[in-house]
Amino acid sequence: MNTTSEMPSGPSVAPTSVRVDGARLWRSLMDLAQLGATPRGGVRRLALTDIDRQARDLVVGWLRETDAEIEVDAAGNIFATRHGRSDAAAVVLTGSHIDTQPSGGKFDGNYGVLAGLEVLRTLKDADIVTENPVGVAIWTNEEGSRFVPVMGGSGAFAGVFTLEHLLRQRDGDGITFGEALERIGYAGTAPVGKRRLDAYFEAHIEQGPVLEREDKVIGVVTGALGLRWYDCIWSGQDAHAGPTPMEARRDALRGASRMVEAVHALAVRHAPDGRGTVGFMHVGPNSRNVIPGLVKMTCDIRMTRISLPWTASSATPLRLSPMTFALNAPCNRSTTSQRRVSTLAASTRFAPRPEHLATRIARWSAAPAMTRSMLHAWRPLR
Ligand SMILES: [Zn+2]
């Protein structure tokens, strides 16, 4: 991107003298954080809810004030574009997301969007005309908390999955992505993807503790971990906690608990880049004096490259061959040299392979009878 001071309408501004207004950026971050604010200083702003609509309206209003042109695509992604000297030139795009996790923070995603807004504000204030158009994107449902898949809007944009696939995904209440998008008034008409981008940049707060621990102000992302999500359902037998002898139990939570440990251990074995998380669990009937007959849980597994086989061995108390099988897929690492969002998005996701599900279950059948009968379903998501 080149800046220029030669436009007849603008004053002469040396690019080096242009600085963003940090105080203004901070105020905008704090204002946006009011929408969905939680008691301990965080934000709960799930995708395509009323709070998300309010936040979109607020930020879009700010973007319009910079004279940016607003477009919304059919996935609800918002694009604010400030014209350049040549509108035929491809857009230099930045941005992020403003949806959050249920216990999210003020900055994750929001900073990337508002940093882009601050760039547009600064360019306008200095009356700078750039060579290429400069844009800010707000991607829909990046967090994947309400709807799976995660990074939904950008994934559809990048062609990792189709718009139709995205729109028919349902939240926990059975509401589809498409219905929720219509309801908040952000089902746009612009085509998804097919935008000419010169480059895409994203500023993001570090979601982990490493920079702060090492007392560093800023870092550059050198890669993204490959990600797989699983839904896992254990079915055992509800029974009374008192009369049922220990050897007669089919305790679904006991099986699930072993998998929690196994997921953790698997990630640790692939240190330093392995990650394994069980973040959701529903225990049924969830009564203190009833043996759990049903557990639904999720597994979030992230790796750079996995060169198992981790075959079930007799030393493993609970054989987890379905997980092993699932992890045999290589995970590619994306690098900063890949500037375009499509490349980045595509390299950090995996298409689900439903045809392999039968193989997973077949492998599972080699597990001990008790656990085999309890693992009811093992469904790969993303
Ligand atoms: Zn984020």
Side-chain angles (χ1 to χ4, degrees):
M1 178 180 83
N2 297 318
T3 58
T4 177
S5 57
E6 293 165 11
M7 287 300 286
S9 59
S12 179
V13 178
T16 50
S17 70
V18 178
R19 293 183 68 87
V20 298
D21 182 340
R24 177 170 60 184
L25 172 56
W26 183 260
R27 282 196 304 277
S28 296
L29 282 163
M30 295 305 110
D31 287 349
L32 181 55
Q34 296 296 309
L35 298 175
T38 55
R40 292 174 57 207
V43 174
R44 178 191 170 94
R45 193 188 305 132
L46 301 186
L48 308 185
T49 56
D50 286 333
I51 291 285
D52 186 20
R53 167 175 43 200
Q54 290 172 35
R56 285 164 174 255
D57 290 350
L58 179 65
V59 178
V60 165
W62 286 336
L63 288 163
R64 282 193 204 282
E65 289 169 7
T66 69
D67 300 334
E69 190 181 304
I70 306 293
E71 288 175 279
V72 183
D73 74 14
N77 297 316
I78 299 168
F79 299 91
T81 309
R82 186 175 185 273
H83 294 284
R85 182 189 289 273
S86 165
D87 276 340
V91 177
V92 176
L93 189 65
T94 185
S96 194
H97 60 95
I98 57 172
D99 66 314
T100 76
Q101 292 288 344
S103 57
K106 290 184 176 77
F107 305 104
D108 188 323
N110 299 292
Y111 170 63
V113 171
L114 297 189
L117 167 70
E118 181 54 36
V119 169
L120 296 195
R121 284 170 165 170
T122 302
L123 291 173
K124 177 180 161 70
D125 289 352
D127 210 4
I128 291 172
V129 178
T130 53
E131 195 65 36
N132 295 47
V134 178
V136 176
I138 305 175
W139 305 108
T140 303
N141 189 51
E142 280 290 284
E143 293 288 16
S145 177
R146 183 175 175 197
F147 295 99
V148 175
V150 66
M151 296 174 279
S154 59
F157 180 92
V160 177
F161 39 77
T162 64
L163 174 66
E164 293 66 36
H165 174 78
L166 184 65
L167 296 182
R168 66 172 174 258
Q169 299 309 308
R170 293 182 187 277
D171 69 4
D173 296 325
I175 300 168
T176 66
F177 188 107
E179 290 161 355
L181 194 58
E182 289 279 354
R183 202 184 67 78
I184 69 161
Y186 275 89
T189 54
V192 178
K194 302 187 179 66
R195 269 169 199 275
R196 288 188 59 231
L197 300 185
D198 180 78
Y200 178 77
F201 301 95
E202 180 161 344
H204 205 284
I205 186 170
E206 191 201 22
Q207 294 143 314
V210 179
L211 288 178
E212 188 165 10
R213 194 171 65 200
E214 298 188 2
D215 199 23
K216 293 205 166 65
V217 174
I218 194 166
V220 176
V221 176
T222 56
L225 296 174
L227 164 65
R228 283 238 169 166
W229 281 2
Y230 299 89
D231 277 353
C232 187
I233 300 172
W234 297 79
S235 57
Q237 177 73 59
D238 296 9
H240 201 287
T244 314
M246 298 310 285
E247 73 279 4
R249 296 174 179 222
R250 294 180 65 230
D251 182 341
L253 181 56
R254 198 163 161 240
S257 304
R258 293 184 188 179
M259 187 171 277
V260 172
E261 267 310 311
V263 165
H264 182 91
L266 181 66
V268 169
R269 272 207 303 285
H270 288 81
D273 289 328
R275 305 282 188 274
T277 304
V278 175
F280 168 88
M281 190 178 280
H282 168 85
V283 180
N286 215 14
S287 173
R288 75 174 66 213
N289 57 349
V290 178
I291 297 159
L294 177 77
V295 173
K296 296 178 180 176
M297 60 188 276
T298 60
C299 300
D300 173 313
I301 295 168
R302 306 181 189 213
M303 304 269 166
T304 48
R305 182 170 292 279
I306 298 160
S307 54
L308 295 168
W310 172 31
T311 50
S313 79
S314 54
T316 312
L318 179 70
R319 298 178 185 184
L320 289 171
S321 31
M323 185 186 302
T324 307
F325 182 82
L327 290 174
N328 275 333
C331 305
N332 295 324
R333 212 178 163 124
S334 60
T335 68
T336 47
S337 65
Q338 296 167 335
R339 290 197 305 169
R340 290 168 199 281
V341 63
S342 56
T343 313
L344 181 66
S347 65
T348 57
R349 293 185 182 80
F350 300 97
R353 297 177 185 173
E355 73 275 14
H356 290 162
L357 187 59
T359 317
R360 286 192 190 114
I361 290 172
R363 281 190 168 218
W364 181 260
S365 65
M370 184 195 79
T371 52
R372 182 176 70 233
S373 64
M374 288 200 305
L375 185 71
H376 181 66
W378 177 269
R379 187 162 71 92
L381 294 170
R382 249 182 208 285

